[in-house]
Amino acid sequence: MSTDAVQELRQQCLKRGAAGIKALGRTFRIMDDDGSKSLDFQEFEKGLENYGMSVGKDKAQQIFVMMDKDGSGTINFDEFLEKLRPPMSSARKQVINQAFQKLDKTGDGVVTVEDLQGVYDSKHHPKYKSGQWTEEQVFRSFLETFDSPYDKDGKVTLEEFLNYYSGVSASVDSDEYFITMMKNAWKL
């Protein structure tokens, strides 16, 4: 029964588009009042509620118990998001990792505006061409695609990148098509 509850929650996230799972992750980070990188049941339930996920208390409890592997009464929300993401083949994960590595020029595991210089060409962006935006504004706008609306830190981690692409991946049936799409988009 509990895997059904997780699938129901996953479907509700995916209905919100490619960034649905990523946004839920940000909501949970905000709910993590003590900064422990984990949630107790009250924080978990409040996070679902604030994100507008209606699974009911019983299903929320089932999901929580299933995710709380060690029975500690808390769940690590990175593990939670990993379970929530639609399953992806290793080939898909590999091509997503390749795209991230290409963007992360400094190799520090975080993509910033500095990483994008020389990797992402802002010159073709309509707002850059019209003079409305500087190159940095184009880069920041690009990073916001992967970053969350709740915590615009201008940095994108591999986790955030995977969360974003798990939503995209869910709408593409064929591994071959997804990999071709990623290779073309990122010139891999």
Side-chain angles (χ1 to χ4, degrees), residues 92-102 158 161-162:
R92 288 186 189 214
K93 287 179 188 168
Q94 193 177 348
V95 77
I96 293 167
N97 276 322
Q98 285 173 353
F100 186 82
Q101 300 311 321
K102 182 176 181 179
L158 177 57
F161 203 67
L162 275 166

Side-chain angles (χ1 to χ4, degrees), residues 170-185:
S171 67
V172 178
D173 292 333
S174 154
D175 274 5
E176 199 176 308
Y177 181 78
F178 181 81
I179 291 163
T180 301
M181 177 194 82
M182 288 295 290
K183 286 185 174 186
N184 289 340

Side-chain angles (χ1 to χ4, degrees), residues 26-41:
R26 283 296 185 196
T27 301
F28 280 2
R29 282 180 174 79
I30 293 163
M31 294 300 123
D32 179 23
D33 297 325
D34 60 2
S36 64
K37 297 203 186 307
S38 64
L39 302 173
D40 62 27
F41 182 69

Side-chain angles (χ1 to χ4, degrees), residues 151-174:
D151 181 23
K152 295 243 179 269
D153 59 3
K155 298 174 185 160
V156 176
T157 64
L158 177 57
E159 199 66 25
E160 288 172 317
F161 203 67
L162 275 166
N163 284 338
Y164 175 82
Y165 274 110
S166 70
V168 174
S169 173
S171 67
V172 178
D173 292 333
S174 154

Side-chain angles (χ1 to χ4, degrees), residues 10-86:
R10 178 185 296 149
Q11 287 312 116
Q12 284 192 42
C13 280
L14 292 174
K15 281 180 188 162
R16 294 171 180 232
I21 289 172
K22 182 188 69 168
L24 179 60
R26 283 296 185 196
T27 301
F28 280 2
R29 282 180 174 79
I30 293 163
M31 294 300 123
D32 179 23
D33 297 325
D34 60 2
S36 64
K37 297 203 186 307
S38 64
L39 302 173
D40 62 27
F41 182 69
Q42 281 70 35
E43 288 173 315
F44 177 73
E45 195 178 26
K46 187 177 166 194
L48 288 177
E49 222 171 86
N50 284 6
Y51 190 59
M53 292 290 171
S54 53
V55 293
K57 193 174 185 90
D58 289 348
K59 280 189 182 168
Q61 187 73 51
Q62 287 174 7
I63 294 168
F64 189 85
V65 168
M66 189 180 117
M67 300 288 178
D68 182 16
K69 288 190 193 107
D70 61 0
S72 65
T74 62
I75 56 173
N76 170 315
F77 48 62
D78 288 332
E79 290 172 336
F80 168 72
L81 289 174
E82 206 171 293
K83 282 247 185 292
L84 190 60
R85 280 188 210 131

